[in-house]
Amino acid sequence: MRTNWGAAFQIAAVYVGTVVGAGFATGREIVEFFSRFGFVGLIGILMSGYLLIFMGSKLMRIAAQIGASSYEQFNEYLFGEKIGRIINFIMLFMLLGVCAVMLSGAGAVFQEQLGISKNIGILITIGLSILVMILGIKGLFAVNSFVVPMMIVFSFILFYLSVKLPGFIDQALFIPASEEGWKSVVAPFTYTAFNLSLAQAVLVPVAAEVKDDQTVKWGGILGGIALTLILLMGHFTLIMLPGLESYEIPMATIMKSLASGLYWIFILVIYGEIFTSVIGNIFGLERQIKKYVNMPSIMIVIGIFIICYLVSQFDYSTLLSYLYPLFGNISLIFIVLLWMKPFKPNRGYNSKK
């Protein structure tokens, strides 16, 4: 059948917008999984890119085939009903951890880039989030349609400026000495596993709604290719920053030195990405917890924010460097089972229409 390229590009955009979160916007996620390993990290990005293309496409094709309306249904199909429920419960804690990392990241933007107390930044973010949730969030998610393209444009600008710097080739080929070299081997797998397992919440219902196999397939492929290119641009920018591991928000530091005229716009884009990530995670958590606890939504949201606030007191870079690889390791079983799951479009599926 013919591919609906318009729908395929829309799926690709959703895929990119879901995976390119606040961890990418700040640069810390790319540093943690790839850039600190130098040239080995570049190889890791290419491996991760292949997995994002292949596994992301397969995830959505299976979701469309089985008509899963939520990632809970998808996990129960992938793992079996009993184990699937356990995995869904684990994902609840992963989302809680990611939300705490995002709040800490918001505080880091205020502290490192604006010179304002981290706690004030976190409390402002919590206050704005609760306000938006009371008033309604329809307009908020439209922010992503502006924030993500802007962030990609800024990434391209920084990449272009970094390539022109003296010593770029030497830095791109450099392999730093590291006692944690083994982590560079598993990083492509943990990075992909972590991002895809959390992206399910968005990708599964989107794919199930489209239903057409070729369209979903190419949406996954195009989205995976775009993510690979974005990762490469981010990596080639970050390796030109001396002591890149010492910064909470390395991308903003680079923007300040290479394109200071765009610095404040970039800070707003980073904060916008963090803010929309916090709101998205809170809504996902509230819906999940509501299934187990019979409480008013606002009480659940306040409870989530209290827990996340306490965890967010740790440094953003410390939280991200500990929790994200941990969640990646936990998610490895998800990616392995997804890899092993056979996929054959059946006759009732829209692959032949």
Side-chain angles (χ1 to χ4, degrees):
M1 69 154 290
R2 291 183 179 180
T3 302
N4 182 339
W5 289 106
F9 278 108
Q10 285 182 326
I11 292 170
V14 170
Y15 188 7
V16 172
T18 305
V19 174
V20 177
F24 173 87
T26 60
R28 274 306 313 181
E29 194 173 312
I30 302 175
V31 168
E32 180 59 36
F33 284 94
F34 304 112
S35 297
R36 66 193 180 111
F37 302 117
F39 181 70
V40 178
L42 172 60
I43 303 300
I45 287 174
L46 295 175
M47 290 175 63
S48 185
Y50 170 76
L51 291 171
L52 285 167
I53 293 166
F54 175 71
M55 302 302 283
S57 183
K58 186 174 183 180
L59 183 155
M60 288 189 277
R61 292 177 80 186
I62 292 175
Q65 184 186 57
I66 65 173
S69 60
S70 68
Y71 75 86
E72 287 98 340
Q73 286 182 15
F74 186 82
N75 280 333
E76 286 176 18
Y77 170 78
L78 201 62
F79 295 95
E81 192 172 340
K82 290 182 180 178
I83 297 176
R85 286 176 182 172
I86 296 169
I87 296 296
N88 288 332
F89 198 68
I90 291 171
M91 276 199 65
L92 189 148
F93 286 97
M94 285 172 61
L95 283 168
L96 203 60
V98 170
C99 190
V101 173
M102 292 301 99
L103 279 181
S104 186
V109 171
F110 277 79
Q111 185 176 43
E112 187 176 272
Q113 304 301 321
L114 304 177
I116 299 172
S117 163
K118 175 182 175 178
N119 268 330
I120 290 175
I122 292 171
L123 291 172
I124 287 172
T125 305
I126 290 173
L128 287 173
S129 300
I130 292 173
L131 185 65
V132 166
M133 296 181 85
I134 291 170
L135 297 175
I137 63 152
K138 285 185 178 179
L140 180 74
F141 288 108
V143 173
N144 256 333
S145 64
F146 170 77
V147 168
V148 173
M150 283 292 287
M151 199 177 63
I152 292 169
V153 168
F154 281 132
S155 297
F156 181 79
I157 291 169
L158 289 175
F159 165 68
Y160 174 74
L161 295 173
S162 297
V163 169
K164 294 170 69 178
L165 291 173
F168 173 78
I169 298 297
D170 291 338
Q171 203 60 33
L173 298 175
F174 178 67
I175 301 176
S178 175
E179 294 178 2
E180 299 180 316
W182 62 273
K183 289 186 178 180
S184 65
V185 178
V186 299
F189 304 99
T190 53
Y191 176 82
T192 308
F194 166 66
N195 278 291
L196 281 184
S197 62
L198 291 179
Q200 285 182 86
V202 176
L203 300 184
V204 167
V206 165
E209 189 176 322
V210 174
K211 296 180 181 177
D212 180 77
D213 180 53
Q214 285 299 304
T215 301
V216 170
K217 172 187 171 182
W218 280 103
I221 290 171
L222 292 171
I225 291 170
L227 285 167
T228 306
L229 293 174
I230 294 166
L231 278 171
L232 286 169
M233 286 193 295
H235 170 74
F236 284 132
T237 299
L238 288 161
I239 57 171
M240 298 307 292
L241 178 66
L244 75 168
E245 290 186 67
S246 63
Y247 296 96
E248 299 269 284
I249 319 286
M251 288 298 255
T253 304
I254 295 170
M255 179 62 82
K256 197 170 188 177
S257 62
L258 293 183
S260 57
L262 298 172
Y263 172 71
W264 290 110
I265 301 172
F266 190 58
I267 291 298
L268 282 173
V269 168
I270 288 175
Y271 186 75
E273 187 65 65
I274 291 173
F275 188 64
T276 53
S277 296
V278 168
I279 294 292
N281 282 333
I282 291 294
F283 263 86
L285 280 165
E286 187 271 329
R287 281 193 294 268
Q288 264 193 285
I289 294 170
K290 194 90 171 173
K291 294 177 182 177
Y292 305 106
V293 180
N294 186 20
M295 287 175 65
S297 293
I298 191 65
M299 295 303 295
I300 294 173
V301 168
I302 290 170
I304 292 167
F305 271 127
I306 290 171
I307 295 168
C308 291
Y309 173 77
L310 293 173
V311 178
S312 71
Q313 294 305 296
F314 292 96
D315 286 341
Y316 171 60
S317 55
T318 303
L319 274 178
L320 192 146
S321 63
Y322 177 74
L323 289 181
Y324 277 24
L326 173 65
F327 294 158
N329 289 326
I330 292 170
S331 302
L332 280 175
I333 187 170
F334 166 78
I335 210 82
V336 169
L337 282 177
L338 181 61
W339 187 291
M340 293 171 61
K341 199 77 175 179
F343 174 77
K344 292 180 181 178
N346 57 43
R347 291 181 181 178
Y349 188 43
N350 288 0
S351 60
K352 294 185 178 181
K353 287 187 180 180

